[in-house]
């Protein structure tokens, strides 16, 4: 008896496992469990590596933040030419869209 389970209970559990995972997957389950145990042990031994990795991740994140700021500058530059395309009427000074041939305010021909 193991943990209060008898042979019939163990057989039922084994059958349920076989039904759920299939007999072909049993070796995979075993190797997955083995990898999990190995990863846990390596994780306990490799704490310093994790800290270094986290530090480099933070540096990369900072670089990304700088790139975002640079992208914002580019957006401002893109907006400036669009604004300069507007024509100001030489007669009344009204601002007109670049496509306008005549002033929308006074009708004067735009140069
Ligand atoms: Zn005008």
């Amino acid at each position: 008896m193991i943990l209060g389970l008898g042979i019939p209970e163990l057989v039922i559990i084994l059958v349920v496992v076989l039904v759920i995972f299939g007999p072909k997957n049993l070796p995979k389950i075993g190797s997955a469990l083995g990898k999990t145990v190995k990863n846990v042990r390596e994780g306990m031994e490799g704490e310093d590596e994790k800290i270094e990795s986290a530090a480099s991740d933070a540096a990369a994140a900072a670089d990304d933040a700088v790139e975002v700021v640079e992208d914002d500058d580019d957006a401002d530059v893109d907006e400036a030419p669009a604004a300069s395309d507007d024509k100001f009427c030489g007669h009344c000074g009204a601002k007109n869209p670049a496509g306008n041939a005549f002033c929308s305010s006074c009708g004067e021909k735009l140069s």
Side-chain angles (χ1 to χ4, degrees), residues 1 7 15 22-23 25 30 32 45 49 54 58 66 69 74 80-81 89 94 98 100 105 109:
M1 298 269 278
I7 297 298
V15 168
N25 286 331
E45 290 169 1
E49 277 182 38
V66 170
V69 170
D74 290 344
C89 175
N100 278 20
S105 178
K109 191 172 190 298

Side-chain angles (χ1 to χ4, degrees), residues 10-11 18 38 57 72 98 101 104-105:
L10 289 175
V11 169
L18 284 172
K38 193 183 170 193
D57 285 350
D72 286 347
S104 60
S105 178

